[in-house]
Amino acid sequence: MMQIQSDMFRTELERIPAVERAEFELCQQIADKIDAVLKNKGMTQRDLARLTGKRESEVSKWLTGRHNFTMKTLALISTGLGQPIVMS
């Protein structure tokens, strides 16, 4: 899970309902996994955009951890990277 460095941010995060907080954390974990796979494979966001047929700006949005991933998007990313993103 991402490290929360700001006390103010941590306080605000605690005010978010548990389900929304869990969704935020899952999205961040997925973004972290995608980033780790890209680094491990020596790939860039541009490479992933090319492999998935998406714009580089959309891939950048995925990597912020604020994107609400659909199953279709996760399957597209997993296929493009050649390995599972969610279950591995």
Side-chain angles (χ1 to χ4, degrees), residues 64-79:
T64 65
R66 295 181 303 224
H67 182 77
N68 189 9
F69 293 95
T70 64
M71 291 295 136
K72 185 174 183 174
T73 300
L74 290 172
L76 180 68
I77 295 167
S78 293
T79 301

Side-chain angles (χ1 to χ4, degrees), residues 32-43:
D32 290 347
K33 173 71 176 194
I34 295 167
D35 186 56
V37 171
L38 288 175
K39 286 178 181 170
N40 187 44
K41 291 181 174 265
M43 296 173 62

Side-chain angles (χ1 to χ4, degrees), residues 27 30-31 34 48-49 51-55 57-63 66-86:
C27 288
I30 292 168
I34 295 167
L48 183 56
L51 289 170
T52 58
K54 299 294 183 178
R55 292 184 314 271
S57 61
E58 186 163 356
V59 172
S60 177
K61 182 179 173 186
W62 294 343
L63 295 175
R66 295 181 303 224
H67 182 77
N68 189 9
F69 293 95
T70 64
M71 291 295 136
K72 185 174 183 174
T73 300
L74 290 172
L76 180 68
I77 295 167
S78 293
T79 301
L81 291 175
Q83 72 180 73
I85 294 302
V86 177

Side-chain angles (χ1 to χ4, degrees), residues 8-38:
M8 186 170 120
F9 184 74
R10 187 177 303 116
T11 300
E12 290 303 312
L13 189 58
E14 289 171 359
R15 292 182 189 181
I16 298 172
V19 171
E20 290 178 27
R21 189 171 48 245
E23 179 182 357
F24 171 82
E25 290 171 354
L26 284 171
C27 288
Q28 187 62 54
Q29 289 171 3
I30 292 168
D32 290 347
K33 173 71 176 194
I34 295 167
D35 186 56
V37 171
L38 288 175

